[in-house]
């Protein structure tokens, strides 16, 4: 994580891998396109607040870069803990206003190209695994899924 204003901000990178695999932080969920044993992206402590930049493929591309299959937005969804949209990371207010607004509480949000979206949530009293994934079913089925522990 990187520190921003005293808060740690972690990154969730949604991307495509070889052979059609769909990845979160360059890893496909176990049992799909990779025999990876890594399925957890973070260990959450109840009562703590977490902040993430959910970024699509093409993160950091120059402004005006045309969207492609690798730079288009993925609808990010997480179970159990609803999150608040903190920032649209440079996406103009007019471009994002009809889709998402800062301050909204969500469980699904598009990760806009090229800079993604920042979200914040508090880990509730839930104990156990909580899923996060791309809400395009084919992408989820191809490995773009992970768990919070």
């Amino acid at each position: 994580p990187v520190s921003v204003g005293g808060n740690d901000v972690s990154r969730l990178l949604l991307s495509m891998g070889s052979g059609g695999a769909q990845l979160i932080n360059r890893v496909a969920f176990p049992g799909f396109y990779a025999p990876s044993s890594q399925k957890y992206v973070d260990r959450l402590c109840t009562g703590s607040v977490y902040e993430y930049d959910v970024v699509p493929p093409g993160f950091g591309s120059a402004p005006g870069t045309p969207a492609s299959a690798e730079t288009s937005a993925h609808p990010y969804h997480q179970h159990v803990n609803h999150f608040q949209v903190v920032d649209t990371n440079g996406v103009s207010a007019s471009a994002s206003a009809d889709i998402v607004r800062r301050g909204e509480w969500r469980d699904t949000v598009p990760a806009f190209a090229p800079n993604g979206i920042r979200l914040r949530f508090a880990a509730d009293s839930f104990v156990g695994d909580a899923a996060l994934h791309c809400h395009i079913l084919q992408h989820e089925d191809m490995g773009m899924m992970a768990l919070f522990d």
Side-chain angles (χ1 to χ4, degrees):
V2 295
S3 183
V4 176
N7 294 326
D8 285 339
V9 179
S10 297
R11 182 163 291 140
L12 296 172
L13 175 65
L14 311 179
S15 64
M16 294 188 302
S18 62
Q22 301 288 322
L23 314 172
I24 293 183
N25 290 350
R26 296 184 174 85
V27 177
F29 194 72
F32 291 95
Y33 281 77
S36 168
S37 61
Q38 180 183 344
K39 62 182 179 180
Y40 296 103
V41 292
D42 208 346
R43 167 167 259 150
L44 304 182
C45 297
T46 56
S48 295
V49 175
Y50 295 86
E51 199 162 292
Y52 286 90
D53 280 336
V54 180
V55 295
F59 170 73
S61 299
T65 301
S68 70
E70 187 60 17
T71 60
S72 58
H74 286 274
Y76 170 81
H77 175 71
Q78 75 181 38
H79 294 238
V80 181
N81 298 299
H82 285 80
F83 53 82
Q84 187 172 30
V85 175
V86 176
D87 197 353
T88 54
N89 292 342
V91 175
S92 71
S94 60
S96 65
D98 292 333
I99 301 170
V100 62
R101 287 182 170 74
R102 289 185 191 126
E104 286 184 329
W105 286 91
R106 300 285 197 100
D107 67 0
T108 305
V109 69
F112 295 107
N115 296 319
I117 194 158
R118 180 163 294 171
L119 54 92
R120 179 183 300 142
F121 65 94
D124 294 329
S125 58
F126 177 79
V127 176
D129 296 343
L132 54 124
H133 56 88
C134 178
H135 227 252
I136 297 172
L137 185 57
Q138 182 181 11
H139 292 181
E140 177 188 352
D141 288 349
M142 295 172 75
M144 194 176 283
M145 179 174 169
L147 298 173
F148 287 128
D149 182 17

